[in-house]
Amino acid sequence: MVNRQNPRRRLRRRLIENKRAKDVISSLPDDILLHILSFTPTKFAIRTSLLSKRWRYIWCDTPSLYFDNCTQRPASIIETQMHYRAPKVNHFRLKTNLQNKVNFIKSWVKYAMSPSSNMVHGCSVSWPSLKKLSLRWCGFPNESIAKLLSGCPNLECLTLYCCKGLGFLDLSKNFHLRTLEINSHVESSTNIVAPHIHCLRLINSQLPCTLVNVSSLTEAKLDICIRSRDRIFKDDFLQAMVLGMLDKLQHVEKLTFGGNFLQILSLAEVRGVHFPMLEVKTLILETVIFQCVVPGIERLLQNSPDLKKLMTELLAGSGSWRNMGKPFGKQSLALFRVLVSKQNVPNCSVENPK
């Protein structure tokens, strides 16, 4: 039997049924809704206030503030602050180009503090609950980084991306700090004092960098960025810096080295420079396998009698590696097995995680 019901009537009936349908999400408790909104950028959380009266003020209590590529006018920022009423912020991220509006940026940062905290002139803060801090494209004149970190007594993880003015990075008073990552294309001399960290990552690190105290390290990942205009650093300086790092990593059980780091080690090996003995158990090499990195790898294997696992993350031959000749390619894994056997490391297995 053909259904000859009026299309308008069918549509009206469907709308009534949808209206009667229960809004499952809106019926959830406030705590769950706040948890959901805590994973979204703040500008999208604010837009949920237009959904219904139920959602109108939910975003005001979300414990997370995320402002990516923030270009808001100061008036909009002030209005948002007037409505925001969360007693405590658990996560805070701010990325902005409001370079001439420092006072408004400072007012946002205040929301990342506990109610009893305050901020004073000169980057002094009090963030006793902060455990993870990530700073990108920041400048720290007059050792202001020390003032900032002194207000974070329970900090566990610190990431610095392209930050200037680090100079003498003293983390000796950050007793709970366990992970330090510095990813920098900024040329800046940095001395690192971090006796409590367990994990260190120096990625694309510009020259020079000195590890003063990293006595508690169990894991480290190192590579340096060398460009054509960095040739002002002589080979002797590069060798001294890299071998100085290696000397501070003798006790570390898991090491990851990049191609530039291995290339400098190879240069030192060819020159007959003394290498320290290592206690490493897991060695990861992230590199294109050219002849220019093999001597350094051989010496690392010779000086690692306790090595249990050699892992290779073979990278594509591009960028700064284009003029280094023909890579070994698919034969790289076999080459590593030969090197391990040649250097008499009987208990070491060779793996490719990819």
Side-chain angles (χ1 to χ4, degrees), residues 39-235:
F39 294 97
T40 64
T42 299
K43 64 179 180 180
F44 295 129
I46 293 176
R47 292 176 186 176
T48 61
S49 62
L50 302 177
L51 295 176
S52 65
K53 291 182 179 180
R54 171 77 174 90
W55 287 87
R56 187 171 183 181
Y57 297 109
I58 292 294
W59 75 269
C60 300
D61 293 311
T62 181
S64 301
L65 288 173
Y66 298 136
F67 299 97
D68 292 335
N69 299 318
C70 181
T71 57
Q72 290 179 294
R73 296 171 299 171
S76 300
I77 293 176
I78 293 176
E79 183 178 358
T80 303
Q81 288 179 336
M82 290 176 60
H83 289 87
Y84 189 71
R85 60 193 184 192
K88 186 176 181 180
V89 178
N90 295 330
H91 300 89
F92 178 78
R93 182 173 66 228
L94 174 63
K95 183 179 180 181
T96 179
N97 59 1
L98 296 176
Q99 299 178 2
N100 299 322
K101 303 297 181 181
V102 177
N103 291 333
F104 292 100
I105 295 175
K106 283 185 176 182
S107 65
W108 271 121
V109 174
K110 286 182 179 180
Y111 276 93
M113 304 179 189
S114 59
S116 59
S117 301
N118 52 54
M119 174 180 287
V120 297
H121 182 69
C123 284
S124 294
V125 299
S126 179
W127 293 337
S129 300
L130 186 66
K131 293 186 177 181
K132 184 176 181 180
L133 176 63
S134 178
L135 300 172
R136 301 169 65 90
W137 298 102
C138 296
F140 297 99
N142 302 322
E143 300 182 352
S144 56
I145 182 69
K147 295 181 180 179
L148 176 65
L149 296 177
S150 65
C152 310
N154 295 306
L155 191 65
E156 296 178 358
C157 180
L158 174 63
T159 301
L160 302 172
Y161 183 88
C162 291
C163 293
K164 295 181 179 181
L166 296 179
F168 191 76
L169 186 59
D170 187 358
L171 304 172
S172 58
K173 296 182 179 180
N174 294 93
F175 300 104
H176 299 279
L177 188 65
R178 296 295 179 264
T179 301
L180 172 63
E181 179 173 333
I182 300 179
N183 190 328
S184 177
H185 293 277
V186 179
E187 296 179 6
S188 179
S189 176
T190 304
N191 295 310
I192 300 175
V193 180
H196 310 295
I197 65 172
H198 293 174
C199 179
L200 172 66
R201 302 187 188 96
L202 295 180
I203 305 171
N204 293 324
S205 177
Q206 285 286 4
L207 307 174
C209 181
T210 303
L211 303 180
V212 180
N213 186 350
V214 287
S215 55
S216 298
L217 270 185
T218 59
E219 178 181 351
K221 178 178 181 178
L222 286 82
D223 200 10
I224 58 178
C225 179
I226 303 177
R227 299 168 298 185
S228 58
R229 64 189 181 92
D230 291 327
R231 297 185 184 274
I232 56 174
F233 297 104
K234 296 181 179 180
D235 293 340

Side-chain angles (χ1 to χ4, degrees), residues 232-266:
I232 56 174
F233 297 104
K234 296 181 179 180
D235 293 340
D236 293 340
F237 171 83
L238 294 174
Q239 290 175 184
M241 185 193 70
V242 169
L243 290 174
M245 289 183 175
L246 204 61
D247 184 64
K248 295 293 184 178
L249 302 175
Q250 292 185 62
H251 62 284
V252 180
E253 295 186 353
K254 182 178 181 180
L255 291 173
T256 302
F257 294 134
N260 286 330
F261 198 92
L262 293 171
Q263 187 178 348
I264 297 173
L265 290 179
S266 295

